[in-house]
Amino acid sequence: MKFFIDTANLAEIQEAHALGILDGVTTNPSLIAKEGIHGEEAIRNHYKAICDIVHDNVSAEVIATDLKGMIKEAEELAKIDDKIVVKIPMIQEGVKAIKYLSSEGLNTNCTLVFTAGQALLAAKAGATYVSPFIGRLDDVASDGLALIEQIVHIFHQYNFTTAVLAASVRHPMHLIQCAEIGVDVATCPLKVITDLLHHPLTDKGLAKFLSDHKGTHA
Ligand code: G3P
């Protein structure tokens, strides 16, 4: 399973990259706004700064919702760096945009996916990634992980090349369950990744090993 970090914060991306386990970054307009970045040029420069940190896979989302506008923006975003994956919303014009962009060889990530039917459409249009949002479904008393399982099952039936990118991953158990289901990628905030590191018995065990070692050198 690939690990992407879901943030536009450069320090967090650096920290996750330094762990040596980071496979990519996902952003969205809300995450960009959270960093206080204003203006098209500043946003483009920020995407470039992210691309300069990681090896590959930097999702950058279009703002337009009409076909022509989405294609124009996608092509501009793709020019920033070869690592850019253009994020397109799951709307009717978005499906057309994905079909066109994938035929042009651009990598796409279909975002805001909340049903298996939406995922199926994105895959048939040739999306590189499809992003079902686990946490936001859980927020409205639906089962986000059940959707992930359903999409993975459907994609395996037909050998779709579209990768399942579990998004809106909010806590470590979401990540573990995504791995059990066999998703291709999970994206989450830095804290969810670093939370995987910790267990009280690890800390207790290490403290004992170190104090016993000290005894052998007293
Ligand atoms: O980037 C899309 C998704 O991961 C957002 O997560 O926590 O805002 O629902 P969240």
Side-chain angles (χ1 to χ4, degrees), residues 6 26-28 31 87 111 133 136 167-170 187:
D6 196 32
T26 50
T27 66
N28 62 42
L31 293 171
K87 237 176 167 183
T111 189
F133 281 30
R136 292 193 193 184
S168 191
V169 167
R170 303 269 180 79
T187 189

Side-chain angles (χ1 to χ4, degrees), residues 5 12 170-172 175 188-198:
I5 188 169
E12 288 182 3
R170 303 269 180 79
H171 53 74
L175 263 188
C188 60
L190 177 64
K191 187 179 182 308
V192 179
I193 298 173
T194 54
D195 278 352
L196 292 178
L197 282 166
H198 304 294

Side-chain angles (χ1 to χ4, degrees), residues 36-142:
I37 304 152
H38 292 289
E40 270 182 43
E41 199 187 335
I43 293 173
R44 267 200 305 274
N45 290 342
H46 198 79
Y47 287 138
K48 181 63 185 157
I50 295 174
C51 289
D52 287 346
I53 299 172
V54 297
H55 298 304
D56 205 0
N57 295 306
V58 176
S59 281
E61 191 160 339
V62 298
I63 305 300
T65 53
D66 64 294
L67 180 58
K68 225 171 137 187
M70 278 189 275
I71 289 173
K72 186 171 176 282
E73 256 188 75
E75 288 173 341
E76 279 163 11
L77 287 168
K79 276 185 209 150
I80 296 172
D81 198 289
D82 287 348
K83 297 170 189 172
I84 292 285
V85 176
V86 184
K87 237 176 167 183
I88 306 279
M90 170 36 75
I91 53 176
Q92 191 157 344
E93 297 306 284
V95 174
K96 294 179 197 171
I98 290 166
K99 180 73 188 175
Y100 175 81
L101 295 167
S102 63
S103 74
E104 293 290 299
L106 264 68
N107 290 322
T108 56
N109 174 356
C110 184
T111 189
L112 292 166
V113 166
F114 293 95
T115 69
Q118 291 177 325
L120 197 48
L121 281 175
K124 285 190 67 71
T128 317
Y129 298 98
V130 61
S131 289
F133 281 30
I134 302 177
R136 292 193 193 184
L137 277 172
D138 290 356
D139 288 344
V140 294
S142 284

